[in-house]
């Protein structure tokens, strides 16, 4: 149990375009979902926390207008990278938390902006 | 600011040896700690956790030790196997809103 999926697993987009990443909790209801970004050989950095039905809370330094987060249901959260630039290329990982508050991580999405 | 850090960025061991990965944390309010394993191109995988009211917890081939006096956390892997090769992260939960702060990570390489 406690499986979290992400789609797509990898994506290549052109500079200036937007890309959406989905995070789904497959077998539990996630009241809270977290989005992380990880650059090569670095640690996970929390970008934002989202609770179902409410606005996401962004970490300091993360542009909320650039990284749009929607958590419309208890099993789905989306991260949209708007007007992507090469420096946005990274590994994006989501995690989901239910009643127990333990975080279950997705497999990650590799974004490459050309 | 508060941070979680690691003493050793890389660790290379022989198959069958025991591995010890260390982590220092600075947030004295943290009450929950987790070790994750991350293989290349994959998301973090939960290994073991420990709460601040404990100083030791054992799992299958893994043991986590917590020393609150010096704010130190360690992960011990017994009889390390090639499949254990990965980056290991410690993470702490400050307790306020269940956000995790990750350490820098240690790359464990197991030589056959």
């Amino acid at each position: 149990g406690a499986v979290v999926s992400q789609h797509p697993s990898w994506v290549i987009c052109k500079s200036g375009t937007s890309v959406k990443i989905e995070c789904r909790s497959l077998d539990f209801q996630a009241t809270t979902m977290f989005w992380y970004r990880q650059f090569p050989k670095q640690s996970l950095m929390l970008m934002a926390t989202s609770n179902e039905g409410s606005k996401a809370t962004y970490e300091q330094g993360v542009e909320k207008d650039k990284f749009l987060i929607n958590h419309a249901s208890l099993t789905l959260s989306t991260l949209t990278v708007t007007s992507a630039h090469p420096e946005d290329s990274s590994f994006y990982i989501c995690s989901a938390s239910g009643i127990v508050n333990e975080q279950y991580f997705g497999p990650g999405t590799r974004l490459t902006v050309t | 600011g508060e941070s979680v850090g690691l003493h050793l960025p890389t660790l290379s061991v022989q198959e069958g040896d025991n591995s010890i990965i260390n982590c220092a944390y600075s947030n004295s309010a943290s009450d929950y700690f987790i070790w994750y394993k991350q293989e290349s191109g994959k998301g973090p995988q939960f290994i073991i956790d420990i709460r601040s009211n404990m100083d030791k917890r054992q799992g299958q081939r893994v043991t986590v030790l917590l020393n609150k006096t010096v704010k130190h956390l360690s992960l011990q892997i017994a009889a390390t196997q090639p499949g254990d090769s990965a980056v290991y992260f410690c993470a702490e939960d400050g307790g306020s809103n269940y956000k995790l702060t990750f350490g820098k990570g240690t790359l464990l390489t197991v030589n056959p």
Side-chain angles (χ1 to χ4, degrees):
Chain A
V3 178
V4 177
S5 70
Q6 285 185 237
H7 178 80
S9 56
W10 59 271
V11 58
I12 301 173
C13 71
K14 292 186 177 181
S15 185
T17 63
S18 296
V19 61
K20 180 184 288 187
I21 302 169
E22 293 185 349
C23 177
R24 294 182 184 270
S25 57
L26 299 185
D27 51 4
F28 69 102
Q29 293 184 327
T31 52
T32 306
M33 286 185 169
F34 303 85
W35 286 95
Y36 296 83
R37 180 167 51 183
Q38 185 179 31
F39 292 107
K41 300 188 185 302
Q42 295 189 25
S43 188
L44 282 75
M45 296 299 295
L46 179 65
M47 299 175 66
T49 303
S50 74
N51 292 297
E52 184 264 339
S54 62
K55 290 184 178 180
T57 301
Y58 291 80
E59 294 299 300
Q60 191 172 10
V62 178
E63 300 175 60
K64 62 179 181 180
D65 294 330
K66 179 170 182 63
F67 298 99
L68 302 179
I69 292 172
N70 183 280
H71 191 166
S73 77
L74 287 172
T75 59
L76 173 65
S77 176
T78 60
L79 168 67
T80 301
V81 183
T82 63
S83 187
H85 291 285
E87 56 265 32
D88 297 323
S89 298
S90 188
F91 194 49
Y92 291 87
I93 305 170
C94 74
S95 70
S97 178
I99 298 174
V100 181
N101 288 319
E102 181 175 334
Q103 290 189 33
Y104 302 97
F105 285 84
T109 296
R110 173 77 58 196
L111 170 62
T112 301
V113 184
T114 62
Chain B
E2 301 287 357
S3 65
V4 178
L6 289 172
H7 297 302
L8 299 173
T10 62
L11 177 64
S12 183
V13 301
Q14 291 300 121
E15 181 177 0
D17 287 353
N18 297 330
S19 302
I20 299 176
I21 300 171
N22 297 302
C23 177
Y25 67 95
S26 57
N27 185 356
S28 56
S30 292
D31 57 3
Y32 180 53
F33 305 87
I34 312 114
W35 280 101
Y36 291 96
K37 172 186 180 183
Q38 186 180 29
E39 297 175 312
S40 181
K42 298 184 179 180
Q45 175 187 354
F46 174 92
I47 301 174
I48 192 168
D49 59 359
I50 189 168
R51 298 206 173 269
S52 58
N53 60 350
M54 304 173 68
D55 54 17
K56 180 180 181 179
R57 189 158 188 234
Q58 289 184 295
Q60 187 177 11
R61 283 201 306 120
V62 294
T63 300
V64 55
L65 299 178
L66 175 62
N67 186 330
K68 294 181 289 293
T69 302
V70 296
K71 297 178 186 171
H72 184 267
L73 194 68
S74 70
L75 175 70
Q76 301 178 3
I77 305 174
T80 314
Q81 303 168 359
D84 295 327
S85 295
V87 177
Y88 289 80
F89 293 97
C90 63
E92 62 176 321
D93 181 343
S96 60
N97 52 7
Y98 311 109
K99 293 194 302 184
L100 295 178
T101 301
F102 280 78
K104 296 179 181 178
T106 292
L107 173 61
L108 174 65
T109 302
V110 182
N111 303 306

